[in-house]
Amino acid sequence: MDDLKGWLAQQRERVDAALERLLPPESADPATLNKAMRYSVFAGGKRLRPILAVAAAQACGLDDAAALDAGCAIEMIHTYSLIHDDLPAMDDDDLRRGKPTSHKVFGEGMAILAGDALLTLAFETLAAHPTRGAQLVTAVAQASGGEGMVGGQVADLENEGGQATEPLVESIHRRKTAALIRAAVLVGAIAAGAGDQQLACLTAYGDHCGLAFQVADDLLDITADAATLGKTPGKDAAQGKLTYPAAIGVEASRAKAAALAQAGIGAIGGLPAPERLTQIATHLVERAN
Ligand code: GRG
């Protein structure tokens, strides 16, 4: 297996080309909206979620072409969540992906609408799958709505400044972050034609690695700087967010992230080609940004 860094860079290029094709051009009407959607999507994210979709299809020994578009739909939802999360009514942030946040550039109204339009385009993209559109739409609706990401954000807002216990933090993180990461893995495999047994293994992988990702994110908020992160560090503590380090301490959080990644790796051992997903699981908890 070639080195992960080079492969990730190649996949990021594939993802960017697919997003370029899927997003409306700036010249199309309404131009300001399309400009705002593109501004945030192309601001330079890691593309982790669409890359996971592609790697999940590959892990099942399947052609990853259909997985790419499904993964891009998840990236659209992820980007919408970042735009809305940065609004003054939510986390009120000025910096995202190393650039001024959407509302700082386009104003709050247009930032809200750009998020709305990205969410809607994601479902249009999923529904375009020739045979499994309804299954894809259902999986992503469950992961991103009130039972998933939005529900996690509600719990996050309602518990700001509260007591961080591990069960509460885990419940928030599983919904706010892990649900969409699990969905990324699943839509890649579903779009590529994976069977139920393969999807069950990938569900377990997505659950473990999705939580591991957010525990690592909590740690990075404490340890990394703004230039590396591309967003403002230290905000979790400043805003009284419930995080793993607040609940169980930094060292135990590191151990938890590593154990979750190992559990994710264990869940996919029986798939035809699990190597890339295995590398990614380790990368998720060792990353610098
Ligand atoms: C506003 C509906 C709504 C939901 C917001 C996902 C979320 C819920 C808020 C975003 C802020 C946050 C702490 C999200 C947790 C997920 C996370 C760690 C996002 C950052 O993901 P990366 O590191 O970002 O993959 P890039 O920019 O690389 O894509």
Side-chain angles (χ1 to χ4, degrees):
M1 178 117 320
D2 54 0
D3 95 295
L4 180 67
K5 220 172 142 196
W7 183 81
L8 289 174
Q10 268 174 13
Q11 298 310 312
R12 267 195 291 276
E13 280 184 23
R14 277 181 84 196
V15 169
D16 283 357
L19 285 166
E20 181 59 49
R21 165 171 54 77
L22 292 166
L23 281 159
E26 274 188 25
S27 53
D29 197 38
T32 315
L33 177 75
N34 295 335
K35 212 172 158 186
M37 290 164 76
R38 283 177 163 270
Y39 173 81
S40 292
V41 168
F42 293 111
K46 295 182 288 296
R47 308 303 192 208
L48 165 73
R49 293 154 190 81
I51 290 174
L52 277 169
V54 164
Q58 292 182 2
C60 297
L62 297 165
D63 183 349
D64 64 17
L68 187 60
D69 282 16
C72 286
I74 302 282
E75 185 72 12
M76 292 173 202
I77 293 182
H78 167 57
T79 306
Y80 121 74
S81 81
L82 300 179
I83 296 173
H84 283 194
D85 188 64
D86 290 333
L87 287 166
M90 297 244 188
D91 273 5
D92 191 12
D93 218 318
D94 297 349
L95 188 68
R96 173 69 70 178
R97 291 178 161 173
K99 295 176 78 172
T101 44
S102 180
H103 64 274
K104 288 278 159 195
V105 179
F106 297 96
E108 284 181 44
M110 197 55 66
I112 291 168
L113 293 168
D116 294 341
L118 283 168
L119 175 62
T120 313
L121 182 60
F123 285 104
E124 189 180 346
T125 303
L126 294 166
H129 188 279
T131 54
R132 293 184 147 187
Q135 193 182 349
L136 292 170
V137 165
T138 303
V140 176
Q142 284 170 347
S144 56
E147 286 173 47
M149 182 181 76
V150 172
Q153 181 76 348
V154 170
D156 189 79
L157 276 180
E158 288 183 342
N159 286 288
E160 258 177 31
Q163 176 69 29
T165 63
E166 189 175 2
L168 180 58
V169 176
E170 179 176 337
S171 155
I172 293 173
H173 285 14
R174 282 201 183 281
R175 289 176 285 159
K176 189 180 83 169
T177 309
L180 198 64
I181 290 183
R182 176 181 64 182
V185 174
L186 285 180
V187 296
I190 294 170
D196 287 346
Q197 276 191 346
Q198 293 180 326
L199 293 177
C201 298
L202 290 167
T203 299
Y205 173 91
D207 278 339
H208 292 309
C209 292
L211 184 57
F213 176 84
Q214 184 59 54
V215 178
D217 195 76
D218 288 352
L219 286 162
L220 285 170
D221 187 70
I222 298 174
T223 56
D225 57 42
T228 312
L229 276 187
K231 62 182 178 181
T232 316
K235 286 207 71 174
D236 290 343
Q239 293 183 327
K241 293 277 185 196
L242 303 197
T243 64
Y244 261 84
I248 62 173
V250 168
E251 280 319 309
S253 299
R254 280 194 217 289
K256 177 86 189 177
L260 284 164
Q262 281 310 313
I265 290 168
I268 52 163
L271 293 179
E275 297 79 12
R276 197 62 85 186
L277 278 183
T278 298
Q279 286 181 322
I280 294 174
T282 307
H283 168 73
L284 288 184
V285 295
E286 290 176 358
R287 68 204 164 94
N289 69 354

